[in-house]
Amino acid sequence: MAIIDDLIASGLSLPQAQQVILEDTTSNLDGLVIAGFSYVEAVAIAALDAGTGTQANLVAQGAWAGTQAPAIAAALAVT
């Protein structure tokens, strides 16, 4: 499956999935929040993308451990 399909299958909305993909190149907290993530989730996603955060922290901030956190981490690792 394509990365966006994996993100949507994990439970993210289309705008959230698109923004996670953009996060990998833009580091845009506002875009993540506008797409529907809370601010703390957005910070955790940005930190994971920057290599300063972990999937465990992303889960602590609200991502689902079994589906969303691995899908987000995989999307951010693609470049």
Side-chain angles (χ1 to χ4, degrees), residues 44-64:
I45 291 168
L48 185 61
D49 186 35
T52 58
T54 64
Q55 283 190 52
N57 186 48
L58 187 57
V59 170
Q61 302 310 327
W64 297 335

Side-chain angles (χ1 to χ4, degrees), residues 8-78:
I8 291 171
S10 78
L12 298 183
S13 67
L14 178 59
Q16 288 174 322
Q18 291 170 324
Q19 198 59 47
V20 167
I21 292 168
L22 287 175
E23 172 61 26
D24 200 26
T25 58
T26 62
S27 191
N28 183 359
L29 290 179
D30 291 341
L32 290 166
V33 172
I34 289 167
F37 292 103
S38 70
Y39 179 75
V40 294
E41 289 172 324
V43 169
I45 291 168
L48 185 61
D49 186 35
T52 58
T54 64
Q55 283 190 52
N57 186 48
L58 187 57
V59 170
Q61 302 310 327
W64 297 335
T67 55
Q68 289 179 341
I72 291 169
L76 294 175
V78 174

